[in-house]
Amino acid sequence: MNILLKSAKILDEDNKGLHKKVRDIWIKDGLIEKIGASVKPDSRTKIIELPNLHVSRGWMDSSVSFGEPGYEERETLANGVRVAALSGFTDILLNPNTNPVPDSSGDIIFLKKTAAGKGARVHPLGTLTRGAKGIDLAELFDMKNSGAVAFYDFKSPVTNSNLLKIALQYAQGFNGLVLSFPLDMSIAGRGSVNEGNISTKLGLGGVPALAEEIQISRDLFILDYAGGKLHIPTISTAAAVDLVASAKKKGLNVSCSVAMHNLFFTDDVLEEYDTNYKVMPPLRTSKDREALRKGLRSGVIDMVTTDHIPMDIEEKRIEFDRAAFGSLGLESAYGILNSIFGTEIAVQLLTKGRERFNIPTVTIKEGEPACLSLFNPEEDYVNSKENIKSISKNSMYLGKKIKGRAYGAVINDQIFTNPE
């Protein structure tokens, strides 16, 4: 399909000649054919005109979960990547929390083939260990050659210190990236929310900030000894930001991310006992939230993620302590970040992270493949279930006032837009 985006305001700070300029963008056979003040396309072109249309380089999310294979009732691959594209994302890293988990090259190939051409491009994460059981390393090299961009036992800490050391050393041979979830389970126990005044008041089991910070400290000591590349997903405390900052000053090859709900909410919202607010790591204090925002602005935190985790209603509409962790985030991502940081910083955050996972950088330039996110930064609305295209509806952002809406994305010769 050939596509013409009419009167689009381009936001791309790396391209000073186009940044903040209103232009027509003609996409022909998946490539950006022409960018100009007034472009006349051929008769086979679909013309897209949307109110206050803004365009940026394609957005990427480094932590997205669906369900297929094994949990299709939560989300299928086909609908999941379509939801991501409608939410403005052109690329997602797919978490290995399926059944079975992707711990072989065949599993990685299956995920890529099943999702191909249906929406956002999928970059699978393979498990770090066989069956994600934390005992033996999985087929890291073979998975890398099949398209896995990193290795991660989803939301499970690497409890065996020697195993993490070996993984970091082994992965250096093929420039592999190891992920380690920051949680010491012996300290976290069965906690489900941040340990503090709110957990005590509500009678809910607490997860101390210490559980995250001790694990990060251990992982950084191992990284310093073993070398290699380490990514710490979804940090949530002020001290965690300081630990990563110190490690980077020492020259360690470490990166980290933060979930956008830890930038938006604090544990005060738990007084509603709404299980959609039950996430891991948990929502923390206002002090932690401000430190995370500052860490993003300074570059200590490398990227923001939605940490999108669909869960069906049976796993959420039960007692808080028994409910599953996780919230949707893709559909609300742009509006939430725009509401916190404003348009330009929100776009910067959404376009960061590709280099860490060896995913090619995209540009807005004639002759380049089309990889564009479409959005309106000025639209105000209250988020409702009508905005959620996911099969599951477990969003903590329901009922929240949001400024800024994603229209969708252009990925090569396909366009995904709201309204469709």
Side-chain angles (χ1 to χ4, degrees):
M1 179 193 299
N2 296 340
I3 302 160
L4 179 67
L5 303 176
K6 288 289 294 179
S7 301
K9 186 172 184 178
I10 298 171
L11 294 185
D12 185 357
E13 290 188 338
D14 292 335
N15 189 337
K16 301 301 182 183
L18 290 175
H19 185 50
K20 294 187 177 181
K21 301 292 195 306
V22 176
R23 295 288 187 268
D24 290 356
I25 304 174
W26 183 25
I27 297 147
K28 184 178 180 182
D29 299 325
L31 300 177
I32 298 176
E33 177 75 11
K34 181 71 175 176
I35 302 175
S38 181
V39 176
K40 294 183 179 180
D42 60 31
S43 59
R44 299 183 297 116
T45 297
K46 180 176 182 178
I47 298 176
I48 304 296
E49 295 185 84
L50 294 166
N52 196 31
L53 175 60
H54 283 57
V55 171
S56 75
R57 290 178 290 158
W59 302 341
M60 190 200 79
D61 191 337
S62 62
S63 180
V64 174
S65 302
F66 294 140
E68 185 180 1
Y71 304 111
E72 288 82 358
E73 72 280 4
R74 298 176 184 172
E75 186 62 278
T76 64
L77 275 166
N79 190 64
V81 295
R82 172 180 162 272
V83 168
L86 291 173
S87 304
F89 290 90
T90 59
D91 298 87
I92 60 165
L93 272 63
L94 186 62
N95 286 316
N97 57 333
T98 52
N99 186 20
V101 295
D103 60 1
S104 69
S105 59
D107 298 325
I108 301 300
I109 291 168
F110 165 79
L111 293 170
K112 289 181 72 70
K113 284 188 174 180
T114 303
K118 297 180 175 67
R121 294 176 293 211
V122 164
H123 307 278
L125 295 167
T127 60
L128 184 65
T129 62
R130 292 179 185 174
K133 294 179 180 179
I135 300 173
D136 300 305
L137 288 183
E139 301 173 5
L140 307 188
F141 181 67
D142 289 345
M143 287 193 286
K144 167 94 171 180
N145 288 339
S146 298
V149 295
F151 310 103
Y152 180 32
D153 289 352
F154 180 70
K155 301 285 185 184
S156 296
V158 184
T159 56
N160 185 325
S161 298
N162 191 53
L163 184 67
L164 179 60
K165 174 182 74 77
I166 293 170
L168 287 166
Q169 291 171 330
Y170 174 60
Q172 290 176 56
F174 52 90
N175 196 31
L177 178 62
V178 172
L179 276 66
S180 179
F181 187 65
L183 187 69
D184 185 316
M185 291 299 298
S186 64
I187 293 176
R190 296 183 180 180
S192 57
V193 300
N194 179 56
E195 182 184 82
N197 294 334
I198 299 296
S199 65
T200 301
K201 178 180 178 180
L202 300 180
L204 296 172
V207 179
L210 179 67
E212 178 172 313
E213 293 148 12
I214 281 184
Q215 191 77 11
I216 291 174
S217 296
R218 186 212 68 165
D219 290 354
L220 292 174
F221 271 113
I222 295 173
L223 177 66
D224 193 15
Y225 175 85
K229 295 165 58 179
L230 178 68
H231 180 72
I232 304 171
T234 59
I235 68 172
S236 67
T237 75
V241 178
D242 293 337
L243 286 167
V244 173
S246 296
K248 288 186 172 185
K249 286 180 181 178
K250 287 179 64 177
L252 299 187
N253 195 341
V254 61
S255 57
C256 66
S257 65
V258 61
M260 69 177 190
H261 44 253
N262 288 101
L263 301 168
F264 192 70
F265 295 106
T266 67
D267 57 356
D268 290 336
V269 297
L270 296 171
E271 295 197 10
E272 302 175 22
Y273 282 101
D274 184 342
T275 57
N276 286 331
Y277 294 119
K278 185 178 179 182
V279 289
M280 182 58 67
L283 302 175
R284 301 286 190 184
T285 67
S286 58
K287 176 185 175 182
D288 294 310
R289 182 178 65 179
E290 292 310 308
L292 293 168
R293 291 181 179 183
K294 184 178 178 181
L296 261 181
R297 289 190 176 99
S298 69
V300 171
I301 301 176
D302 299 87
M303 63 199 77
V304 65
T305 174
T306 65
D307 207 23
H308 178 89
I309 304 176
M311 286 291 171
D312 60 52
I313 193 169
E314 287 80 8
E315 294 170 294
K316 281 292 188 180
R317 192 172 289 178
I318 54 178
E319 296 91 342
F320 198 100
D321 280 334
R322 294 175 54 213
F325 292 101
S327 171
L328 301 182
L330 283 171
E331 291 102 328
S332 309
Y334 170 66
I336 292 296
L337 293 174
N338 186 51
S339 298
I340 299 171
F341 296 107
T343 301
E344 291 197 50
I345 293 178
V347 169
Q348 290 172 14
L349 297 174
L350 288 164
T351 55
K352 290 179 69 175
R354 281 182 170 82
E355 296 82 2
R356 188 59 173 167
F357 298 95
N358 289 318
I359 298 169
T361 301
V362 299
T363 57
I364 303 178
K365 190 163 60 175
E366 291 178 0
E368 292 293 315
C371 182
L372 305 171
S373 297
L374 318 178
F375 54 100
N376 179 354
E378 300 302 327
E379 183 174 351
D380 294 301
Y381 63 101
V382 176
N383 197 29
S384 66
K385 285 190 176 181
E386 287 70 33
N387 302 123
I388 295 177
K389 308 294 184 182
S390 299
I391 293 174
S392 298
K393 307 299 178 185
N394 58 304
S395 173
M396 66 170 72
Y397 304 102
L398 287 172
K400 301 299 180 288
K401 293 181 180 179
I402 297 175
K403 181 175 183 178
R405 186 190 295 273
Y407 282 132
V410 177
I411 306 168
N412 296 326
D413 61 349
Q414 293 182 288
I415 184 165
F416 304 85
T417 58
N418 283 306
E420 298 178 84

